[in-house]
Every structure is written in structure tokens, then in C-alpha cells.
Amino acid sequence: MKVAFLGTGLMGLPMAQRLLAADMQLIAYNRTPEKLAPLQAAGAEIVTHPRHAIRAAECVILMLTNAPAIYNVLLSDTAWQTLEGRTIIQMGTITPTESQEIRDAVVAGGGEYLEAPVLGSIPEAKAGKLSVMVGAQPEQYERHLKLLQNFGTEPLLIGPVGSAAALKLALNQLIASLTTSFALSLAFIQRQGVDVDVFMQILRDSPLYAPTFDKKLQRMLDGNYADPNFPTKHLLKDTELFISEAKSLSLDLSSIKGVRQILQTAVKMSFADDDYSSLFSVIKEWGEAIGE
């Protein structure tokens, strides 16, 4: 199978490298051509326009920033005309509504569509240990299972298109909310003079503990948010997607709207391209940040 990979950013690059390691024929496109150099060196075919990748491949994997990027790369007039007979696998984070609309456009162009968003970051992508959530018909899932197993050993069929996208947003809402809550408790005990090691000892032995707390602890204590696995601006984008999709569901969104405000402030404080644990600095400096 010839696979086209569109979008080789922080997550897309190691995912595409997994396919090359499995001796697959890979055609790669990225809107920033410089990011394709490692793939080219590893044997991937590089193209300068997405339609060339789509036309040459049987299966097209999307790991793009958002739905507008997908429309621009996949569903422009020239690219859309090349979709007939192709399978499109959308693996980025978008809303269920957006995923269903893109599916309809792909099907109208003669292609087939499934979604397979992933949970995990760069280390899991490199190791092929991402959690892969699939929104598709059972027959589509079975037919593409072997391909998806390059990214995670046990891709899980969630339901039809839209269901996996919804689950991914729910999980990313938890990432934002858990990290914010942990950061607030950490800042609070520091201001109260409680030893951080004692706090973590009690927390780790309790049902309240989540491994993400230890993953972010040292970054927060050091104020070192460089070399992110997941930048603040991306978590803000996903949080905004969650809120936009959840508005019609009669849910109280007060808590996540507060998290969004903290993430927005982090971006304004020049942490957009840093690790999202930077929201700890916002919480610690909240009064100064909002001018109080």
C-alpha cells in the first residue's frame, strides 16, 4: 500500500517515521517544506502540493492542525478532484461535527473516510504506543487495522464517524482541567509553606493521583516549559473546540471556561509555543497577569 501523509509537525513526523520503519511506501507533504527533511532522508517521497500526494497514494493520513487546514489541503478544488477511490484517515483533533462534514465532502468526491484521533504525545508516537480511537464502520476498521497498529498496538473502534472525535475532545478536556487543578494546588501549598515532596507523597498514595501530575511537576517547579510535547496553543485550540461542540448539549461549562481563560493568558504571556504546563506560571502570577 502506498500511503500519503499530510502534516508532519510535532506528532505527524514520528508517526510518519513509524510507517517508513515498517517498510511502507510513503509520500509526504507539509505546508512548511523544511519539516520534511528527516522523512526525505529516510526514504520518503516528498511532494510540493497535496494533490500530488493524494493522486499517488491509495490511503491518505491527515495529521493537520485543524479543520480549516484540512479543507485547505484536502478539499481545495484541485485536491478534492483526486479523492476518488482513496481512503482518507483523519488523525488530528477536530470536532465531531467537523469530522462528519469532512466525511460527507470526501464521500461526495468518491472517496471513503474514517477518523482515528490519538491520545499520547511525542514519546508514545515514536514508540508506536499511542491510544488510537477509531470512528468508522466495522468493515472499514477491520480493513485498516493493520495500518493503524503502526501507531498503537490496540486501536479501538469507538463507533461511527464523530464518536472518536468526541472521545478525543473529552480526553483533552481532562488534560486541560487536570493540569490546571494540579497547578493550582501546587501553587497553593507552596504559598502555604507546605513541603512539595510531602504533598506529592500524600497525593501519589491517594485515589486523587494521576500520572500526568508527575510528568508536569518538574517543569512547573523549574519554570522550564521549552521543548514541548504538546504546546500551550494546541491545548487552547482543543479546549475551544470542546466548548464550541459542548454548547448545544445543555452542560455547565463554567469550569472549562475558566481553564480556557488561563490558557488564553498563557498564550498572551508568550507561552504559546511552550509546554502547556506553563499555565502554572499564569496561576502563580494571576494578579499581575490581569493587571490587579
Side-chain angles (χ1 to χ4, degrees):
M1 179 189 294
K2 255 191 175 180
V3 178
F5 206 105
L6 310 184
T8 59
L10 286 176
M11 287 290 287
L13 176 59
M15 291 171 68
Q17 288 169 327
R18 292 285 306 174
L19 298 182
L20 285 172
D23 293 325
M24 289 195 178
Q25 289 182 281
L26 188 73
I27 307 155
Y29 167 80
N30 195 75
R31 289 180 295 176
T32 307
E34 294 78 17
K35 293 183 178 180
L36 293 166
L39 294 177
Q40 187 171 28
E45 180 183 343
I46 304 303
V47 296
T48 56
H49 197 286
R51 71 174 179 271
H52 299 148
I54 297 167
R55 186 180 294 122
E58 303 160 58
C59 180
V60 180
I61 293 176
L62 306 178
M63 199 62 185
L64 298 163
T65 306
N66 50 30
I70 294 172
Y71 275 93
N72 182 58
V73 168
L74 184 75
L75 299 174
S76 66
D77 289 342
T78 53
W80 184 78
Q81 294 170 8
T82 65
L83 294 181
E84 186 169 358
R86 271 73 179 176
T87 296
I88 309 301
I89 304 179
Q90 199 297 114
M91 302 192 74
T93 303
I94 58 177
T95 70
T97 300
E98 289 169 336
S99 191
Q100 291 160 350
E101 289 174 349
I102 292 166
R103 173 203 58 197
D104 293 346
V106 169
V107 170
E112 72 165 343
Y113 175 92
L114 55 155
E115 61 186 15
V118 297
L119 183 67
S121 56
I122 295 172
E124 290 78 19
K126 289 180 176 178
K129 294 183 178 179
L130 293 166
S131 296
V132 184
M133 300 159 278
V134 185
Q137 296 303 312
E139 181 274 332
Q140 290 177 304
Y141 167 76
E142 293 294 340
R143 190 154 33 91
H144 295 95
L145 181 57
K146 188 175 180 181
L147 173 62
L148 294 173
Q149 284 174 330
N150 287 287
F151 309 120
T153 55
E154 297 182 11
L156 185 63
L157 178 62
I158 307 303
V161 169
S163 60
L167 179 52
K168 178 64 194 306
L169 284 184
L171 291 167
N172 279 23
Q173 188 278 144
L174 270 178
I175 292 173
S177 294
L178 280 173
T179 307
T180 303
S181 294
F182 174 68
L184 180 59
S185 289
L186 180 62
F188 180 78
I189 65 109
Q190 283 184 319
R191 294 283 170 88
Q192 293 288 347
V194 177
D195 187 276
V196 171
D197 290 337
V198 174
F199 166 62
M200 291 305 300
Q201 178 185 340
I202 299 295
L203 180 57
R204 291 186 190 109
D205 290 338
S206 78
L208 303 173
Y209 178 71
T212 188
F213 299 158
D214 267 310
K215 287 184 178 181
K216 298 304 176 185
L217 175 63
Q218 202 58 50
R219 279 187 177 274
M220 292 178 180
L221 293 178
D222 295 344
N224 179 11
Y225 312 121
D227 300 318
N229 289 328
F230 192 25
T232 304
K233 64 183 180 184
H234 289 171
L235 186 57
L236 173 58
K237 182 267 291 185
D238 293 350
T239 299
E240 290 176 333
L241 290 179
F242 177 90
I243 291 170
S244 71
E245 190 73 13
K247 277 181 178 177
S248 63
L249 302 178
S250 301
L251 300 172
D252 187 336
L253 301 177
S254 303
S255 61
I256 190 61
K257 285 181 178 178
V259 171
R260 177 177 63 180
Q261 184 175 359
I262 293 170
L263 288 166
Q264 288 172 334
T265 304
V267 169
K268 291 176 183 175
M269 291 171 65
S270 302
F271 292 124
D273 294 311
D274 291 320
D275 189 85
Y276 65 88
S277 54
S278 62
L279 55 79
F280 179 64
S281 286
V282 177
I283 288 169
K284 285 201 306 180
E285 303 166 23
W286 183 257
E288 294 88 344
I290 62 176
E292 291 184 357

